[in-house]
Amino acid sequence: MKLGIRIHKRLPNVTIDVSFTCEAGQILAVVGPSGAGKTTILRAIAGLEQPDDGCVVFNNNPWFDRKRKINVSPQKRKVGYVSQGYGLFPHLSVTKNIAFAASKKEMTGQLMELFKISPLADSRPDQISGGERQRVALAQALATEPNLMLLDEPFSALDYKTKNALRNELVSMKNRLGLPIIMVTHDLDDAIKIADQILPIEHGVFAPGWLPENLHYVAASPYTENDIIMKPNAGSPLPFKLPVSARHYP
């Protein structure tokens, strides 16, 4: 499974113009300042926003192609999307939140065991912690048996211990599921610790200089500018040449 995108979209304060790919079993972190267009990129992949131009291709199947007038519905794309607000139903219990999304009944219990949230089965979202809500949201997204995962600021507003535990769970999940995972974050530390690729975005476009300029803000970072190696994308399923992407090597 492989995702490839090239999108152009004009917004009131920024024009997004990006291209990248994400392989199965990889986490791609889209980083950059607020207002750079990161969340809009996720929404375009999910089919919740339509680009002005470009295409979104999954496994060589076009989900969006402006020139060919293709725009597959969000439901048919089968994307697991965890938004910043978690997207949980406040009036439903943890079990019912996951069961509502589950494509198979048995998946509810399996995912609750996987994310260690079975003891919270009868609790509502407002009765559990932020870290627990994040686990429920991940389980809910996976219950749809998605083609890929999109995570918008998955660790924001979490304490360090909870954040670190969820980082480890996400890496473990990536290895088990073999899905492409795209994570938007403003926290470069999150990206450095768990991502296979880092794509810096500033003013809506690929901004390789943003990474070395901001590495010194990461507490006790073992990385330097020399650790950010620029490489061209290879094997793109798209009918156009993709620009370079940024990747870190520990």
Side-chain angles (χ1 to χ4, degrees):
M1 292 183 286
K2 184 175 184 177
L3 175 76
I5 85 163
R6 176 178 61 81
I7 61 171
H8 179 91
K9 184 172 180 64
R10 186 181 296 275
L11 300 173
N13 297 315
V14 68
T15 297
I16 298 170
D17 195 354
V18 295
S19 305
F20 61 83
T21 62
C22 184
E23 301 276 357
Q26 285 193 340
I27 296 176
L28 168 67
V30 182
V31 300
S34 298
K38 303 186 298 296
T39 294
T40 300
I41 292 170
L42 289 192
R43 290 177 58 81
I45 295 170
L48 301 175
E49 291 203 26
Q50 183 171 318
D52 298 326
D53 196 11
C55 51
V56 179
V57 178
F58 181 78
N59 260 8
N60 291 317
N61 297 311
W63 282 354
F64 174 81
D65 190 317
R66 179 73 175 183
K67 289 183 172 57
R68 295 164 63 189
K69 298 182 180 180
I70 296 172
N71 189 19
V72 176
S73 70
Q75 293 78 14
K76 291 183 178 179
R77 296 187 192 198
K78 290 191 66 178
V79 170
Y81 189 4
V82 179
S83 65
Q84 293 186 44
Y86 304 123
L88 302 176
F89 297 106
H91 62 290
L92 296 182
S93 67
V94 166
T95 299
K96 289 181 179 179
N97 261 286
I98 299 170
F100 181 85
S103 56
K104 297 175 184 175
K105 183 179 291 187
E106 63 271 17
M107 290 189 67
T108 301
Q110 293 171 358
L111 287 166
M112 290 177 70
E113 287 292 328
L114 174 65
F115 286 99
K116 302 178 177 63
I117 52 177
S118 295
L120 308 174
D122 297 323
S123 301
R124 295 192 309 274
D126 63 349
Q127 297 172 322
I128 60 180
S129 70
E132 290 165 342
R133 284 195 293 272
Q134 188 62 276
R135 288 188 174 93
V136 176
L138 287 167
Q140 185 189 63
L142 285 171
T144 64
E145 295 187 288
N147 289 312
L148 72 152
M149 293 286 288
L150 303 177
L151 311 177
D152 195 352
E153 300 285 1
F155 309 121
S156 62
L158 298 179
D159 62 83
Y160 181 78
K161 183 177 180 181
T162 302
K163 178 186 287 194
N164 198 48
L166 279 171
R167 282 170 172 168
N168 292 336
E169 287 180 19
L170 184 57
V171 171
S172 177
M173 180 179 76
K174 173 200 77 168
N175 294 333
R176 285 194 301 268
L177 298 174
L179 299 175
I181 299 174
I182 301 177
M183 175 183 75
V184 157
T185 181
H186 69 276
D187 190 335
L188 190 51
D189 190 46
D190 287 341
I192 285 172
K193 284 189 166 65
I194 69 172
D196 299 290
Q197 289 185 306
I198 299 176
L199 181 71
I201 299 292
E202 191 171 21
H203 306 303
V205 298
F206 176 58
W210 187 89
L211 280 171
E213 289 173 4
N214 287 272
L215 277 174
H216 65 280
Y217 291 116
V218 181
S221 172
Y223 300 93
T224 67
E225 182 175 350
N226 292 330
D227 294 312
I228 307 298
I229 301 176
M230 311 307 297
K231 295 182 62 182
N233 274 302
S236 168
L238 302 176
F240 44 77
K241 185 177 180 181
L242 290 166
V244 295
S245 66
R247 183 178 179 125
H248 75 275
Y249 290 82

